[in-house]
Amino acid sequence: MFNWRSFVLRRVLARFRVRNDIVRHLTTFQRLGERLEATPPAGESIPVGMRTVLRALRTRGAAQIRPGWVWPFWLHRQLDPASPDFTPRGHLPFMANVTSRNWTMIGPARSEWEGIVDPSGMVTPWFDGWSVDWWVGTPSGWRYPSLEEGLPQRLLDDSPVVETRMPLEEGSVVCRAYSPMTEDLAVIEITNETPANVDVALAIRPYNPEGLAVVEKLFVDGQTVILDGRPALYLSHPTSRVAVGTFAAGDCARMVAEKEVGPPPRRVVKDPAGMLQAAFVYELEPGASVRGFAPLPHEHRHHGRKRLTTAPSLDAEVPDAGRVCADWATALDRGMKVSLPDDRLQSAVKANRAYMHLFLDRDEITPGPYNYHRFWFRDAAYQVACLDRWGFHSEAADVIRAFPPRQEPDGFFFSQWKEWDSNGAAIWTVAEHIRLTQDTSLLPLLAPAVEKAADWIDRKTKERRRDLPELKGLFPAGISAEHLGPFDYYYWDNLWGLRGLLDAQLLAEKAGKVEAAGKASEAAARLRSSLLRSIEIAAGRTGRTFIPAGPTRGVDNAMIGSLAACYPLRLIDAEDPLITGTLEAIGQFCIGDAFFQGISHTGLGTYLTLQLAFVELEREDPRALRRLWWMLGAATPTFTWPEAIHPRLEGGCMGDGHHGWAAADFLSVVRNVLVREDPKGGIALFTAFPEQWRGRNVSVSDAPTHSGRITFDLRWDGGVPVLSWEAEAAGVTVRVPGLAPAWASDAQSGSERLPV
């Protein structure tokens, strides 16, 4: 088998012999990484992170021999020894973003294309590509947002319209980044909100929030900027003040500052080091704007300059930011809606309801707009369930409808090599959709795939393992969820497999397939027996009662995954000693109210912290609210979360900087605080009630549950809470454990003063 690691390492080391050409030669390997990741040779597996490693090599090479350049927000701080983000490189030849992995996605609803906006307002329209930055010229000199500390950033009307402000002595210059609801286009709009004229620049930069990009050729055709043969940026206005920089000539930011500008180049400009940049400078009167339009679809590189026969006239056709906000409000005026007494929480909910529609890519859903922009059944389970819990059933159904084509002939729902949780996750997602919608119309399409998937789980867990009793009847070793650790045997996979078999039985019964239901039931009984026996053996070695991460593991961070047995899978009761013991053991890995994941993520886990909140809500433990408040406090100003957060710097340190699983779990925890399925039967409202909400009104409408939809509101009369509710189904028990633990009602509707 061809060894890609050895090949790349030999080639890189050979090129290092010529120091002056280091960045130029690393460009070749960064492009090689792009090709390998996109089209791996048949039968080969490309080393995980190859593209990341090659990008990090090149970023280190350029950054250390070109001091004084205007770098992106994260890189500037990691290079600056005076910054708390300073990151020593030592002998490692890499430079990657490990302190500020925070960004906000923009894009059309349900499109497969998204761009991202970093904390300084820099827009990256293509994965691993160039970016559009913005600069402001003042009488005292040029100011660069990526070098500023704490620029105000927010969402307009809690919609995916990102506004970043550069405060000046009088007023501000504002950059807004957004996409129309129905067009694969990123709009970058700079507006002068000061009483005097200012200079601004739209700057194409050869980097992004992860590292250097490759830009080798630039051509300007009228108001269209073409990079490497691809139309990259359309300018709303022509300008005669343009600066073009290369690795050899220097940063175009210096040229702009020193007024070394001129008309757009008449020929293709080339840079073999792949560090081409250009700045387009404008003078804006008070109230005036200039806009750039970047297409989001990522075209392949072309060696020619690819002249355009007609450059689009976009400025008059593209809606402004206000119109886009109104379009989002109209599109999301459905499903479960809430009115909360906490303005910040209300805004975070509104923003993330919109983001969930950006994570949707037609008939699939992805856990990130950038480096996690691909489909996994594991992440999809949490995200699709969130859509259903908030009443976006048609969107959830579109994703589920595309499950069967993803199934291998042997019944395996393939996400990634040796990810054994996929089948259980897929089946549970289907069953949860039906439980929350009471709609079985998808069953004729999905039942055959579910039956094949259940048979696959049964066959896979029957395969012969090593002669260890704790491995008998379980899945083989696999890669599983990355927060669990390296290749190993994991209970996570078996828990999802067991839930998949139980739900396969349910779905077969609903489809009238008696034989398939019986087979799934028998397989579930075998797997449950094997799983409990294995847990007893593994935990017994430690002398404690808990669920480790796997049969060969002890007490470590990865056992956070075992809490899925309680929620969302509800295989083991929340008060069971196994769950209680696991929660107690996990406590040693918490920093304050957040869970610290020392495996892979090595940071404060966002959705992992909320896993604790889910289980605490099942136990009716008000400590769940502390996890939720931590999560809300850790949100960026645009209400996004990375996969993991630096424990001291509070910036993203791992994964996609706008993480879909984290967003989905945030919405699901808020929903479960307000309304959730009661394991004792019926519906629980206000399982935990924040003290700061006392005396303040709360309302929830059209909330889907396993018992049908429910609408309710809480008002206060002389300090006494008054609950009004209307359930879709009769005979459903309603409780309010967070306010009146002793109260319950079986009435379909009513209005009652709660005993407190």
Side-chain angles (χ1 to χ4, degrees):
M1 182 178 291
F2 186 79
N3 191 324
W4 287 102
R5 287 186 179 90
S6 177
F7 165 73
V8 171
L9 184 60
R10 288 198 308 269
R11 299 292 293 174
V12 168
L13 291 176
R15 296 296 190 179
F16 271 16
R17 295 170 189 160
V18 186
R19 178 180 173 83
N20 290 338
D21 285 342
I22 183 173
V23 177
R24 173 180 176 180
H25 292 310
L26 285 176
T27 298
T28 302
F29 291 107
Q30 186 165 336
R31 291 181 60 181
L32 173 64
E34 295 174 17
R35 291 198 188 98
L36 292 178
E37 188 174 285
T39 55
E44 299 288 347
S45 61
I46 302 306
V48 175
M50 177 64 73
R51 189 166 181 167
T52 300
V53 168
L54 292 172
R55 183 196 308 114
L57 279 167
R58 185 163 178 265
T59 303
R60 165 73 185 265
Q64 66 185 355
I65 57 179
R66 283 294 184 267
W69 281 36
V70 175
W71 297 114
F73 177 88
W74 70 272
L75 184 53
H76 168 70
R77 284 156 180 75
Q78 287 188 197
L79 291 170
D80 183 2
S83 170
D85 291 15
F86 173 70
T87 306
R89 274 82 69 197
H91 294 294
L92 295 175
F94 308 113
M95 174 62 76
N97 184 356
V98 293
T99 59
S100 300
R101 300 188 69 82
N102 305 95
W103 45 79
T104 307
M105 65 176 162
I106 57 173
R110 303 190 65 176
S111 168
E112 62 183 300
W113 305 105
E114 292 93 37
I116 60 173
V117 187
D118 85 344
S120 68
M122 183 181 76
V123 177
T124 305
W126 297 345
F127 170 64
D128 204 22
W130 51 275
S131 301
V132 182
D133 209 352
W134 61 294
W135 305 333
V136 179
T138 69
S140 58
W142 281 84
R143 292 177 62 180
Y144 308 98
S146 64
L147 307 187
E148 300 276 334
E149 292 292 338
L151 285 186
Q153 190 174 71
R154 65 170 185 141
L155 296 179
L156 281 187
D157 196 27
D158 301 322
S159 297
V161 177
V162 182
E163 178 185 275
T164 311
R165 287 185 171 269
M166 173 74 79
L168 302 180
E169 288 186 7
E170 293 185 84
S172 302
V173 175
V174 180
C175 180
R176 295 187 180 97
Y178 61 92
S179 294
M181 280 282 289
T182 58
E183 295 183 59
D184 292 324
L185 194 70
V187 181
I188 304 97
E189 178 185 85
I190 307 175
T191 303
N192 178 13
E193 294 186 358
T194 76
N197 289 7
V198 297
D199 282 340
V200 300
L202 281 166
I204 290 175
R205 310 298 285 165
Y207 47 61
N208 53 60
E210 286 211 309
L212 264 62
V214 176
V215 183
E216 297 172 304
K217 296 180 182 179
L218 178 145
F219 179 66
V220 181
D221 187 357
Q223 291 167 227
T224 302
V225 183
I226 302 171
L227 302 180
D228 294 332
R230 300 170 290 188
L233 186 68
Y234 308 115
L235 302 170
S236 62
H237 299 82
T239 179
S240 60
R241 292 194 291 165
V242 179
V244 178
T246 65
F247 184 70
D251 192 353
C252 69
R254 176 195 59 79
M255 300 174 186
V256 169
E258 297 177 4
K259 299 183 179 180
E260 296 177 11
V261 295
R266 295 184 178 182
R267 298 175 179 271
V268 175
V269 182
K270 300 179 181 180
D271 183 0
M275 293 286 288
L276 264 171
Q277 337 105 51
F280 301 86
V281 183
Y282 299 87
E283 183 178 6
L284 292 185
E285 297 178 349
S289 299
V290 63
R291 301 205 289 180
F293 310 95
L296 294 175
H298 190 165
E299 296 187 25
H300 295 295
R301 297 176 187 272
H302 296 277
H303 293 294
R305 65 186 184 187
K306 193 182 178 184
R307 279 184 177 273
L308 301 181
T309 53
T310 56
S313 176
L314 292 169
D315 193 40
E317 301 171 6
V318 177
D320 62 18
R323 178 69 261 169
V324 170
C325 290
D327 289 343
W328 273 105
T330 300
L332 297 178
D333 189 22
R334 57 195 176 89
M336 172 178 162
K337 288 179 280 190
V338 300
S339 177
L340 305 175
D342 184 314
D343 291 342
R344 180 170 167 78
L345 183 62
Q346 181 77 43
S347 290
V349 166
K350 183 178 178 182
N352 279 277
R353 287 173 89 244
Y355 289 147
M356 291 306 298
H357 288 75
L358 292 184
F359 288 118
L360 280 165
D361 288 2
R362 294 195 174 95
D363 63 353
E364 67 180 29
I365 194 163
T366 67
Y370 202 68
N371 48 5
Y372 285 177
H373 194 223
R374 57 155 293 187
F375 179 88
W376 284 275
F377 280 102
R378 176 192 312 120
D379 300 73
Y382 287 88
Q383 291 179 276
V384 174
C386 172
L387 287 170
D388 270 326
R389 289 174 185 137
W390 282 83
F392 297 115
H393 301 312
S394 63
E395 289 85 349
D398 285 346
V399 177
I400 292 170
R401 198 177 286 113
F403 280 7
R406 297 181 182 277
Q407 192 174 40
E408 299 289 298
D410 66 352
F412 180 40
F413 278 113
F414 180 81
S415 288
Q416 191 165 302
W417 181 69
K418 292 185 182 294
E419 284 196 339
W420 307 134
D421 58 352
S422 291
N423 277 35
I427 298 171
W428 177 83
T429 305
V430 173
E432 191 70 1
H433 174 71
I434 290 174
R435 284 188 283 259
L436 286 165
T437 63
Q438 320 295 316
D439 180 5
T440 60
S441 61
L442 288 179
L443 262 185
L445 170 67
L446 297 168
V450 168
E451 184 176 351
K452 285 176 61 178
D455 287 343
W456 179 91
I457 294 172
D458 190 30
R459 292 196 310 273
K460 202 70 180 176
T461 52
K462 286 179 179 177
E463 291 178 359
R464 182 177 175 81
R465 305 282 169 261
R466 291 186 298 167
D467 292 330
L468 292 174
E470 60 266 39
L471 301 182
K472 186 177 179 181
L474 302 183
F475 277 117
I479 57 173
S480 199
E482 65 186 11
H483 58 266
L484 300 182
F487 195 86
D488 205 347
Y489 298 89
Y490 288 110
Y491 288 136
W492 167 278
D493 297 329
N494 295 279
L495 292 167
W496 280 95
L498 176 55
R499 182 74 262 171
L501 290 171
L502 293 170
D503 282 341
Q505 176 188 350
L506 169 71
L507 295 172
E509 290 170 349
K510 288 182 176 294
K513 296 191 172 188
V514 178
E515 183 179 353
K519 287 176 62 180
S521 177
E522 292 171 4
R526 284 192 294 271
L527 181 52
R528 185 189 293 274
S529 176
S530 298
L531 183 56
L532 292 176
R533 182 181 63 250
S534 178
I535 292 171
E536 182 180 2
I537 295 171
R541 288 195 298 263
T542 69
R544 303 177 65 165
T545 301
F546 75 112
I547 310 176
T552 62
R553 303 281 281 271
V555 175
D556 61 42
N557 303 66
M559 62 188 177
I560 187 79
S562 299
L563 289 178
C566 174
Y567 194 90
L569 304 181
R570 285 184 163 166
L571 297 169
I572 301 177
D573 186 78
E575 301 294 341
D576 189 286
L578 283 172
I579 299 300
T580 300
T582 306
L583 281 173
E584 290 174 353
I586 287 172
Q588 66 185 287
F589 301 115
C590 290
I591 298 176
D593 295 319
F595 171 75
F596 175 76
Q597 177 55 290
I599 298 174
S600 180
H601 292 194
T602 58
L604 301 178
T606 48
Y607 61 86
L608 296 177
T609 295
L610 294 184
Q611 178 62 67
L612 293 172
F614 281 126
V615 175
E616 286 163 345
L617 286 171
E618 292 293 281
R619 295 164 65 91
E620 299 183 0
D621 184 343
R623 283 182 294 184
L625 289 175
R626 288 163 38 189
R627 318 288 183 191
L628 177 58
W629 300 145
W630 173 83
M631 188 74 169
L632 187 62
T636 67
T638 54
F639 302 111
T640 69
W641 295 273
E643 188 166 17
I645 295 173
H646 195 294
R648 289 170 51 193
L649 302 176
E650 300 181 347
C653 60
M654 195 273 178
D656 209 306
H658 189 164
H659 200 255
W661 189 343
D665 272 8
F666 167 75
L667 286 174
S668 290
V669 165
V670 172
R671 178 262 190 187
N672 282 13
V673 166
L674 298 171
V675 52
R676 68 183 179 92
E677 292 74 27
D678 190 345
K680 301 173 184 176
I683 300 172
L685 310 179
F686 302 114
T687 296
F689 195 82
E691 282 299 315
Q692 60 268 38
W693 288 11
R694 288 191 176 274
R696 305 180 69 182
N697 298 338
V698 187
S699 66
V700 177
S701 63
D702 292 322
T705 75
H706 293 178
S707 302
R709 287 180 297 174
I710 187 170
T711 294
F712 59 96
D713 62 69
L714 186 72
R715 300 288 184 267
W716 296 80
D717 181 13
V720 177
V722 179
L723 178 71
S724 301
W725 75 97
E726 183 173 355
E728 187 174 44
V732 177
T733 300
V734 176
R735 295 194 308 121
V736 191
L739 270 175
W743 180 88
S745 174
D746 294 330
Q748 188 171 357
S749 62
S751 181
E752 290 197 26
R753 295 167 65 90
L754 299 178
V756 293

